[in-house]
Amino acid sequence: MVTKYYKGYQSKEWWVTCYELEFYIDDWEDGLIIDNQLYPAKKDYFTCAKPGQTARMQFPYRCYFLNIATRDEKLKAALDALPTYAHNPDIPKIIELFKQNYKRSTSSTLSSQMERYGYVCQILGIILRTYPDAPPASPVTNVRRHGQALMD
């Protein structure tokens, strides 16, 4: 069954338990609501909802997203330092990485899983390099994508 979301439809609110990054591919009036503040989906912008915040989606809008759960304290500090909503001129590069990753996502071989892990690391690298005030992160470990562990 296909559900059609009408303009302004809002999802149920949830507690954010990992880092939820959304990368917007075009302009919409709607977007992600974090702690009751609407951040509209704008081309080349991203949002970063952090653990402990509340979020809900206001439709329609289109994005690519990445959910990151980590126990690494340096990576947590770097992700905590990211702005909640910001323009980033490198979003087109990130979107291309998502597209490349999607093309390889049908295989469950170890090499395919490692390639997907590599794409996640590249995306994080692009975002974290943009904000030099964020503390340096150690190598990424225990990254989860869509609830599935990529590496332990």
Side-chain angles (χ1 to χ4, degrees):
M1 179 176 155
V2 175
T3 303
K4 293 185 179 178
Y5 298 111
Y6 58 86
K7 180 160 178 42
Y9 173 84
Q10 291 186 5
S11 70
K12 290 184 179 180
E13 187 173 70
W14 68 88
W15 283 101
V16 178
T17 58
C18 64
Y19 296 90
E20 300 179 9
L21 287 89
E22 291 190 350
F23 305 95
Y24 304 112
I25 54 179
D26 44 21
D27 293 335
W28 296 85
E29 293 175 10
D30 301 303
L32 190 63
I33 299 169
I34 302 172
D35 290 338
N36 294 314
Q37 172 68 46
L38 173 63
Y39 296 97
K42 298 290 180 195
K43 185 176 180 171
D44 298 340
Y45 276 71
F46 76 96
T47 54
C48 180
K50 299 168 181 100
Q53 293 181 307
T54 59
R56 64 185 184 277
M57 296 174 281
Q58 183 169 302
F59 297 101
Y61 69 97
R62 297 185 321 149
C63 70
Y64 287 90
F65 67 92
L66 183 65
N67 292 343
I68 302 166
T70 182
R71 291 178 284 205
D72 184 287
E73 293 302 321
K74 288 182 180 178
L75 180 57
K76 284 182 185 179
L79 292 168
D80 282 337
L82 290 177
T84 301
Y85 181 68
H87 177 265
N88 188 310
D90 290 326
I91 298 292
K93 292 178 193 173
I94 292 170
I95 299 301
E96 186 56 36
L97 287 168
F98 273 105
K99 290 177 181 177
Q100 291 172 17
N101 185 27
Y102 179 76
K103 291 176 186 175
R104 292 173 174 81
S105 66
T106 57
S107 175
S108 62
T109 65
L110 179 59
S111 64
S112 293
Q113 290 175 354
M114 294 307 293
E115 281 183 23
R116 289 193 297 271
Y117 177 72
Y119 286 118
V120 170
C121 291
Q122 288 179 55
I123 290 166
L124 284 174
I126 290 169
I127 289 296
L128 295 176
R129 272 194 306 272
T130 306
Y131 301 96
D133 292 336
S138 59
V140 179
T141 58
N142 300 307
V143 173
R144 297 185 182 275
R145 184 176 74 84
H146 306 283
Q148 177 182 11
L150 295 178
M151 253 189 112
D152 285 325

